[in-house]
Amino acid sequence: LMVPAPDPGHPLLVLGLETSCDETAAAVVERRADGSGRLLSNVVRSQWEEHRRFGGVVPEIAARAHVACLDDLIAGAMRDAGLRFEALSGIAATAGPGLIGGLVVGLVTGKTLAAALGKPFLAINHLEAHALTVGLTEGLSAPYLLLLVSGGHTQLLLVHGVGRYERLGTTIDDALGEAFDKTAKLLGLGQPGGPAVERAAMRGNDRRFDFPRPLKGRAEAHFSFAGLKTAVRRRATELVPLSDTDIADLCASFEAAAVDAVADRVACAMALSQARLGPDAPRRLVVAGGVAANRRLRARLDALVAAHGYTLHIPPAGLCTDNGAMIAWAGAERLAAGISDPLDAPARPRWPLDASAPPAIGAGVKA
Ligand code: KG4
Ligand code: ZN
C-alpha cells in the first residue's frame, strides 16, 4: 500500500492509540513545521476495576477490555479534537513492548483505520513514546538524559534523537514501580501501590528502618530492587501484627531507601552521559513513567540536578502515566522525520530501545 508522504511545511495531525497494558487510550496531537506540538484531545480509560480482584493485570482480561472500549475512545478523541478522520496525517499505535493481546487490539485497529483512510501508519515503541513526551510538553529536543521509571521498566537512557537511544542502565530484577506495588501488597494497601505507599509514607518516620540502598556507589548505572523488597518483607514479618504507625514507618523507610538508590544511580548516569556527550553538552534530566509522580523522588531529583548543574524536566502526571498523547506525538515525530511503517508491522512483546546494550547481568553487577 503506497501512501503519499505528508507535506513537511504543513502541521501534522496524528491519532495515537495505546493498548500495551491496562490503560486504553486515544489522543490527537498537532505537530507544527517548527517542531512544536499541541495536544488536541487525550482520552484514557483505566482498567483497574477489571483486574482488582486478581491483584494484578490479567492479560486476557486486559485484551478483552481494550476491544470493548477502544472504538468509543477513538470516537471521543476525534470529537474532542473537533476533527474528521480525513483531516489526519497519520495513525499511530503502540506495537510494543507490552502484553501481546492488547498490542494486537491497538495495532489492528490502527492499521485498519490507516488502510481505510489511505493514511500512513506508525508502529510505535511505547518506551520511545515515554522518552519523547517532553518534546510535546515543553519543546525539549535531544540530547538529554532520561530516567524512565514505570511499573514494567526502570532504565537510564541517553536520548540522541528520534530513533537514537543509548541505554546506560537498567534494572537487574524488579522495576521501581513494581517494588512500590509489591510493598503495597505486602502491607495490605490498595493498588496501584505507588500512590498508596506514598500516602502512607507521608505519615511515617523514614529513619525508623535502615533499609539497603542496592548497588549504591557502583560505576555502572544499573538498578536492583529485589534486595530492598526482601528487607521490607523481613522487617514487616518480624513486626506482625502491624500497627498503622508500623505501616507508615515501613512505607516511609522503603520510599527513602528506593529514592536514595535511584538518586545515586542517576548521579552515576550523569557522569557517564557527560563522558559520552562531552563537557559542553546541555545538562538536562528528563523523568518519565508512572513513578515520576512520586513527590519524594521529585524533591530528591530537584536537589540532585541543582548540585550537578542540570535542569529537571518532568511531564505533567497525566502524561507520565500511560496515555495516547505520547503515542500520537512519537508518531508525529517519526512522520516528520519521513518515517512510516508497513501494515504488516508485527506486535513486539519485547522491544528494547537500544538493541545493542548488553544485558545488565554479567556486567559485573550482583543483586
Ligand atoms: O507508566 P505507568 O503508568 O505504567 C507502566 O507501568 O507502564 O506506571 C505505573 C507504575 C505503577 O507501578 C504505580 O504504582 C507507579 O507507577 N506509581 C507510583 C506513583 N504513581 C504511580 N509510584 C510511586 N509513587 C507514586 N505517586
Ligand atoms: Zn508506560
Side-chain angles (χ1 to χ4, degrees):
L1 182 82
M2 287 299 294
V3 289
D7 178 343
H10 274 80
L12 299 172
L13 293 166
V14 176
L15 169 68
L17 312 180
E18 160 60 33
T19 58
S20 67
C21 190
D22 60 345
E23 252 96 37
T24 317
V28 179
V29 302
E30 176 186 41
R31 184 190 183 281
R32 301 193 198 85
D34 66 2
S36 64
R38 198 157 64 96
L39 187 54
L40 301 187
S41 64
N42 188 29
V43 192
V44 184
R45 185 184 174 283
S46 174
Q47 303 175 357
W48 192 256
E49 281 308 317
E50 281 93 326
H51 301 288
R52 181 197 292 280
R53 65 197 173 98
F54 302 104
V57 178
V58 184
E60 173 67 17
I61 291 174
R64 285 166 185 259
H66 291 307
V67 171
C69 71
L70 184 56
D71 289 356
D72 278 350
L73 289 192
I74 292 171
M78 296 304 291
R79 195 170 49 237
D80 290 356
L83 292 176
R84 296 167 55 82
F85 283 118
E86 291 72 25
L88 294 172
S89 317
I91 290 94
T94 305
L99 301 171
I100 184 91
L103 292 172
V104 168
V105 174
L107 269 182
V108 169
T109 305
K111 289 171 178 178
T112 306
L113 274 173
L117 297 165
K119 307 279 184 185
F121 174 69
L122 301 127
I124 303 299
N125 182 312
H126 180 95
L127 304 177
E128 173 168 46
H130 275 304
L132 298 179
T133 302
V134 282
L136 171 66
T137 56
E138 45 179 300
L140 197 75
S141 55
Y144 48 82
L145 177 62
L146 173 75
L147 170 66
L148 176 62
V149 275
S150 71
H153 301 276
T154 300
Q155 300 190 6
L156 279 156
L157 292 151
L158 206 46
V159 178
H160 293 287
V162 175
R164 294 191 295 133
Y165 309 94
E166 184 180 349
R167 200 192 73 193
L168 300 178
T170 188
T171 179
I172 61 174
D173 41 58
D174 293 348
L176 180 57
E178 192 181 357
F180 273 90
D181 294 337
K182 286 177 176 173
T183 298
K185 200 167 179 176
L186 170 76
L187 299 177
L189 305 173
Q191 297 288 331
V197 169
E198 177 171 47
R199 232 174 296 121
M202 280 172 195
R203 301 180 277 108
N205 173 1
D206 62 6
R207 279 185 272 187
R208 175 156 162 214
F209 306 106
D210 187 20
F211 290 133
R213 271 67 170 159
L215 303 187
K216 193 164 178 181
R218 294 289 187 133
E220 291 157 317
H222 293 310
F223 299 86
S224 166
F225 297 104
L228 173 57
K229 175 186 67 186
T230 307
V232 174
R233 178 182 302 278
R234 193 177 306 127
R235 291 301 278 139
T237 309
E238 286 165 11
L239 289 169
V240 167
L242 298 172
S243 68
D244 276 355
T245 305
D246 291 335
I247 291 176
D249 293 349
L250 284 164
C251 285
S253 301
F254 158 79
E255 198 181 57
V259 163
D260 207 26
V262 170
D264 177 73
R265 310 291 62 222
V266 173
C268 170
M270 284 173 168
L272 294 174
S273 164
Q274 278 151 235
R276 296 283 293 122
L277 297 176
D280 299 329
R283 298 184 176 196
R284 283 118 34 129
L285 175 66
V286 173
V287 191
V291 190
N294 185 274
R295 266 162 269 179
R296 192 188 297 258
L297 179 66
R298 283 175 179 242
R300 189 60 197 275
L301 293 177
D302 259 328
L304 185 74
V305 296
H308 288 80
Y310 274 64
T311 51
L312 183 62
H313 308 265
I314 309 181
L319 296 179
C320 277
T321 51
D322 290 349
N323 64 86
M326 68 184 198
I327 305 303
W329 179 251
E333 288 282 72
R334 285 169 67 79
L335 209 48
I339 305 166
S340 69
D341 295 295
L343 289 180
D344 62 355
R348 300 175 67 172
R350 296 178 57 84
W351 188 2
L353 271 187
D354 178 358
S356 71
I361 302 210
V365 185
K366 264 203 242 115

